[in-house]
């Protein structure tokens, strides 16, 4: 494992393999929960955090971490999929974490993708975040186009929870989780960039060569809404956990 500082508050940790990746990320979560048993965690979906969630389940089963007072907020949900739909993010979270540790169901929050008034749902989610937040540690993945949550390129950094049209590239990338591309929802409800930036600490996770360009642009490029994750350059406490392929285009490593 190698650690680099891009600048004060923006550190990059390059891990050797999948096991090291999951275990280092889990260390950050467990350390926080040990120090602050009622911590608020911001959670992400996708393939990248799967190893982290599996590691957290393992540590919970070994009695090393207690989630009984932890509160969680997920970043996003697909519009039109209800929480029981197998491809909904609520179901993903239940399958990989919520049902396997002692998180209380009432302490786990996701926006609802089936609310009749989705904008009212977005406002409800923001109000809840304000009431229970700030998020102590926000876990983030990154899209190939540098989206964070479902904040696609062009999303203002001032955005709060909102309804978005997914880009063709995101629909394509996420179609691997569905029987066919046609089944991928065209919209999502997502926390905005301003909401994400309010977290006390952010841990951005990225694996694989497909993320290398997004990681380079986000950490070393210009801060611009065209690269949503570049907003993280303005945050005071970001830890980026990457494998070697995802880190391969960073000039700091050359
Ligand atoms: C999805 C999610 C994001 C996630 C991204 C990357 O679109 N909404 O929160 O970070 O994809 O996913 P993966 O980790 O599968 O590459």
């Amino acid at each position: 494992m190698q650690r680099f500082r891009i600048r004060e508050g923006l550190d990059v940790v390059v891990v050797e393999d999948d096991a090291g990746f999951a275990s280092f990320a889990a260390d950050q979560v467990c350390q926080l929960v040990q120090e602050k048993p009622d911590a608020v965690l911001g959670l992400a979906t996708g393939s990248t955090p799967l190893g982290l969630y599996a590691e957290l389940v393992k540590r919970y089963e070994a009695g090393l971490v207690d989630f009984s007072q932890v509160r969680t907020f997920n970043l996003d949900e697909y519009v039109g999929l209800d929480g029981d739909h197998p491809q909904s993010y609520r179901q993903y979270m239940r399958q990989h974490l919520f049902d396997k540790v002692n998180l209380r169901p009432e302490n786990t929050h996701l926006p609802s993708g089936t609310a009749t008034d989705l904008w009212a749902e977005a406002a409800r989610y923001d109000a809840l975040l304000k009431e229970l937040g700030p998020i102590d540690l926000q876990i983030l993945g990154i899209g190939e186009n540098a989206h964070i949550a479902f904040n696609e390129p062009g999303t203002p950094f001032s955005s709060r929870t909102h309804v978005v049209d997914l880009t063709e590239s995101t629909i394509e990338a996420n179609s691997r989780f569905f029987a066919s591309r046609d089944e991928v929802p065209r919209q999502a409800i997502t926390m905005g960039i301003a909401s994400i930036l309010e977290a006390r600490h952010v841990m951005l996770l990225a694996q694989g060569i497909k993320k290398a360009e997004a990681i380079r642009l986000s950490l070393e490029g210009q801060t611009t809404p065209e690269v949503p994750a570049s907003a993280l350059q303005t945050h005071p406490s970001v830890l980026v956990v990457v494998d070697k392929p995802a880190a391969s285009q960073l000039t700091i490593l050359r």
Side-chain angles (χ1 to χ4, degrees):
M1 191 186 94
Q2 288 176 292
R3 193 169 181 130
F4 302 89
R5 173 151 289 186
I6 292 190
R7 75 167 71 90
E8 181 73 35
L10 181 54
D11 285 348
V12 181
V13 167
V14 185
V15 293
E16 289 299 320
D17 54 22
D18 289 356
F21 190 91
S23 129
F24 181 82
D27 288 347
Q28 313 311 305
V29 175
C30 292
Q31 212 173 313
L32 168 67
V33 174
Q34 266 144 25
E35 282 163 16
K36 190 176 179 188
D38 63 346
V40 182
L41 294 178
L43 301 177
T45 50
S47 309
T48 314
L50 286 174
L52 160 64
Y53 296 147
E55 183 64 26
L56 290 177
V57 169
K58 220 157 87 185
R59 292 188 192 191
Y60 165 73
E61 286 169 349
L64 300 172
V65 59
D66 171 19
F67 292 98
S68 61
Q69 296 177 61
V70 169
R71 279 91 39 89
T72 67
F73 279 91
N74 266 78
L75 289 166
D76 44 18
E77 182 57 282
Y78 286 116
V79 165
L81 302 194
D82 109 345
D84 290 329
H85 188 285
Q87 265 73 45
S88 73
Y89 284 163
R90 159 76 67 187
Q91 202 53 36
Y92 167 108
M93 289 311 306
R94 291 193 57 180
Q95 188 187 339
H96 298 293
L97 187 70
F98 294 171
D99 289 355
K100 296 187 168 166
V101 299
N102 64 339
L103 272 164
R104 292 170 196 244
E106 64 273 25
N107 286 344
T108 63
H109 305 286
L110 281 93
S112 162
T114 51
T116 31
D117 182 342
L118 289 166
W119 286 96
E121 172 60 8
R124 180 197 70 86
Y125 205 63
D126 280 337
L128 198 62
L129 266 168
K130 200 164 177 194
E131 186 191 328
L132 303 178
I135 287 170
D136 291 296
L137 176 64
Q138 176 66 59
I139 295 156
L140 285 181
I142 186 168
E144 288 167 35
N145 62 4
H147 73 235
I148 45 176
F150 272 130
N151 294 288
E152 298 281 18
T155 309
F157 287 174
S158 58
S159 56
R160 304 231 159 239
T161 305
H162 60 289
V163 180
V164 286
D165 294 331
L166 300 180
T167 61
E168 284 305 314
S169 78
T170 298
I171 292 169
E172 183 61 39
N174 289 6
S175 64
R176 69 190 192 277
F177 298 110
F178 293 81
S180 76
R181 197 180 188 283
D182 294 343
E183 285 180 27
V184 186
R186 271 24 190 183
Q187 285 189 313
I189 178 165
T190 180
M191 260 165 66
I193 293 181
S195 339
I196 291 169
L197 293 178
E198 272 168 14
R200 290 199 168 102
H201 305 279
V202 173
M203 178 166 67
L204 174 67
L205 308 175
Q207 285 176 299
I209 193 72
K210 282 185 171 176
K211 303 294 173 69
E213 174 78 356
I215 284 292
R216 181 183 69 78
L217 288 172
S218 303
L219 305 186
E220 296 184 339
Q222 263 190 349
T223 305
T224 163
E226 291 315 312
V227 181
S230 68
L232 299 174
Q233 291 183 34
T234 68
H235 190 281
S237 177
V238 178
L239 179 61
V240 183
V241 185
V242 278
D243 62 4
K244 285 186 173 163
S248 59
Q249 288 191 22
L250 287 172
T251 52
I252 193 174
L253 301 188
R254 285 194 190 135

